[in-house]
Amino acid sequence: MNYRMFSRSSMTLVTAGLLTIASAFGQAPAAKADGPVAKAAPDDAALPQCLKDVALSQQQQDQVMQIVRDYDAAVASVWKQFGDRYLETVRTEALLLTAIEDNLTEAQRSHVRVQRRRTAQREKSLAGTDVKPNQAVTKPDSAVEEVIDIVGVTLTAEQEAAADRVQEKYLSHLRSLNRDILGLHTRLVSLEADKIVALENVLTKDQLEQLREIRQNASFGPKVVQKAGPTTTK
């Protein structure tokens, strides 16, 4: 049996949607060396991008900045909790992965680790470029499954049973962490949505219409098209 095939359904239950949530880290508050995220100071508040093209009076600007400071402080507090839980999930998955590898032969373990390093190096080389890893196939639900997908090591029946036993020991904790992360993600979205509503209340009717037009016409840069393989000309 292939390493990539064991207990995939159980890992899906644990971390479904987690990688989607992880994309939120691209908009995190400024990080410090002593932790994954840091609470933004009140003086870090800035006029929201969506309001920069709306002509605001000085009084409105002052009101907007106070709203931003208040909500950003709340968001930063929740974001810290989100970052802590996410980091703990990553570390737990890494422990699970290495615990599974403990039951492999030396040759299998060496092969797995070489493949994992190659994947990590490839991801690093693509960071900051417009080229993204191939996303034409279904994306793995966890770091563990991602490694399983790329390695393809054949397990004996004994190794498969041992891997299942190891996973069962970690599943409850991973499920709990995932519930926490999903709950914190919901709180972050709610806070940001409430902030937008509070900002809208500062605007005149004409300014609100202008803001809505800006939102409807928002642009987030060119979309990178992924290809599953070589194209053919018909």
Side-chain angles (χ1 to χ4, degrees), residues 7-218:
S7 298
R8 173 168 301 192
S9 60
S10 61
M11 287 309 301
T12 300
L13 289 173
V14 176
T15 52
L18 192 56
L19 294 179
T20 301
I21 297 173
S23 65
F25 273 87
Q27 299 174 353
K32 287 185 178 180
D34 58 353
V37 292
K39 185 174 180 179
D43 292 341
D44 291 340
L47 188 69
Q49 185 64 40
C50 61
L51 292 180
K52 289 186 176 179
D53 293 328
V54 176
L56 300 175
S57 68
Q58 185 59 54
Q59 182 180 4
Q60 286 177 314
Q61 290 184 42
D62 293 342
Q63 290 176 297
V64 164
M65 295 305 292
Q66 186 58 54
I67 291 170
V68 169
R69 281 191 289 268
D70 291 343
Y71 274 94
D72 282 359
V75 167
S77 177
V78 178
W79 184 265
K80 177 63 168 63
Q81 298 174 57
F82 181 97
D84 289 344
R85 297 297 194 284
Y86 189 85
L87 184 56
E88 185 176 353
T89 301
V90 170
R91 288 171 173 166
T92 302
E93 286 192 351
L95 284 173
L96 169 57
L97 190 61
T98 51
I100 290 171
E101 291 172 7
D102 288 340
N103 296 302
L104 303 182
T105 66
E106 190 58 42
Q108 288 172 323
R109 193 157 43 242
S110 176
H111 177 73
V112 168
R113 292 175 179 177
V114 166
Q115 294 299 318
R116 185 164 65 236
R117 283 194 295 270
R118 286 177 178 172
T119 300
Q121 290 169 358
R122 179 171 180 269
E123 296 283 344
K124 182 178 180 180
S125 69
L126 294 178
T129 71
D130 290 334
V131 180
K132 303 297 180 184
N134 187 1
Q135 298 177 351
V137 296
T138 302
K139 199 168 187 177
D141 294 310
S142 70
V144 175
E145 189 176 329
E146 184 169 3
V147 173
I148 290 171
D149 274 339
I150 64 171
V151 173
V153 171
T154 300
L155 294 180
T156 65
E158 291 79 8
Q159 287 174 323
E160 180 187 348
D164 287 340
R165 287 194 298 271
V166 169
Q167 284 201 96
E168 284 302 320
K169 293 179 180 179
Y170 284 81
L171 285 180
S172 178
H173 185 49
L174 284 170
R175 287 192 184 104
S176 177
L177 288 169
N178 195 39
R179 284 194 296 269
D180 289 347
I181 289 171
L182 291 171
L184 290 165
H185 176 260
T186 299
R187 287 174 61 189
L188 287 168
V189 173
S190 179
L191 282 168
E192 288 291 347
D194 287 347
K195 179 171 72 173
I196 293 173
V197 172
L199 293 173
E200 288 180 347
N201 290 335
V202 174
L203 306 180
T204 65
K205 183 177 179 180
D206 288 343
Q207 289 172 327
L208 182 56
E209 288 299 322
Q210 187 179 358
L211 174 61
R212 288 171 175 168
E213 183 178 351
I214 291 171
R215 282 201 300 248
Q216 294 299 313
N217 296 315

